[in-house]
Amino acid sequence: MVNLSTYRTGSFQRGRSGWVVMLWWLVQAIAFPLTPHPCNGLRVALLRLFGARLGQGVVIRPTARITFPWRVAIGDHSWIGDHVVLYSLAPIHIGCHCVISQRSYLCTGSHDIASSQFDLQTAPITVGNGAWIAADCFIAAGVTIGANAVVGVRSTVLSSLPNQWICWGTPCRPHHPRIMQSQDAG
């Protein structure tokens, strides 16, 4: 039987002191939702102040939620949509030119279902350059989304996905290659 009174986080550490975590949660709860969309630079600056590694041209919507910004890296020109959750108990690395669409949830934590103590388990998530995670997707701990892959709307991604494939479903599976058209300069 599960006995939550014996719950264990094992070796998990938040990565910052308790007062920094509380300060971040206050900043995120107050400053983020009050900043209009054009104030993206303020949100990026706040995330960087708390240790996030953000590239040039990153766009973070005001309703996005990031548990521990010091465990998040986002490459150049990537977009994080409204109500996206980056549950960063472990590192989350999002490449360049990625789109994480509204209401998607990247979750680096879970629990050991065989443990009566419901032990915490964490693993990183990596999103390759040029990937698009469409609206309302769930990405599980330990998953790598390949470069230029597309994850279809409302998919549940429980295992890694290959580069340049269009994938969807619950559980999410690759369906066909993503054919990219070149942009002519003329």
Side-chain angles (χ1 to χ4, degrees):
M1 300 299 263
V2 172
N3 182 354
L4 294 179
S5 69
T6 61
Y7 170 72
R8 300 183 302 213
T9 59
S11 62
F12 174 75
Q13 299 290 320
R14 293 176 296 194
R16 297 288 189 274
S17 66
W19 73 268
V20 172
V21 172
M22 290 299 291
L23 182 59
W24 165 247
W25 288 345
L26 284 171
V27 166
Q28 181 172 232
I30 297 167
F32 262 55
L34 294 178
T35 57
H37 182 62
C39 294
N40 182 66
L42 176 59
R43 291 185 295 277
V44 167
L46 287 169
L47 284 164
R48 286 180 177 147
L49 181 66
F50 281 90
R53 294 173 314 283
L54 306 179
Q56 297 299 312
V58 170
V59 175
I60 311 275
R61 296 290 291 191
T63 56
R65 293 292 166 258
I66 300 167
T67 306
F68 300 134
W70 46 90
R71 291 201 172 132
V72 173
I74 303 173
D76 295 342
H77 305 288
S78 288
W79 303 344
I80 307 300
D82 277 314
H83 304 287
V84 166
V85 175
L86 302 181
Y87 191 59
S88 51
L89 301 183
I92 294 176
H93 181 268
I94 298 169
C96 299
H97 303 280
C98 294
V99 176
I100 313 297
S101 293
Q102 63 273 17
R103 299 199 183 278
S104 289
Y105 196 108
L106 282 67
C107 183
T108 61
S110 190
H111 299 277
D112 181 355
I113 62 172
S115 166
S116 63
Q117 291 88 12
F118 207 55
D119 296 336
L120 178 66
Q121 298 176 322
T122 63
I125 292 173
T126 301
V127 179
N129 294 336
W132 174 23
I133 298 173
D136 207 19
C137 291
F138 177 84
I139 313 298
V143 165
T144 296
I145 307 294
N148 296 306
V150 175
V151 178
V153 66
R154 292 204 165 183
S155 293
T156 301
V157 183
L158 303 174
S159 59
S160 295
L161 300 174
N163 294 341
Q164 210 158 329
W165 275 75
I166 298 174
C167 313
W168 67 81
T170 301
C172 191
R173 301 269 188 255
H175 290 276
H176 55 83
R178 181 182 188 186
I179 308 300
M180 305 292 288
Q181 297 180 8
S182 64
Q183 299 294 321
D184 292 331

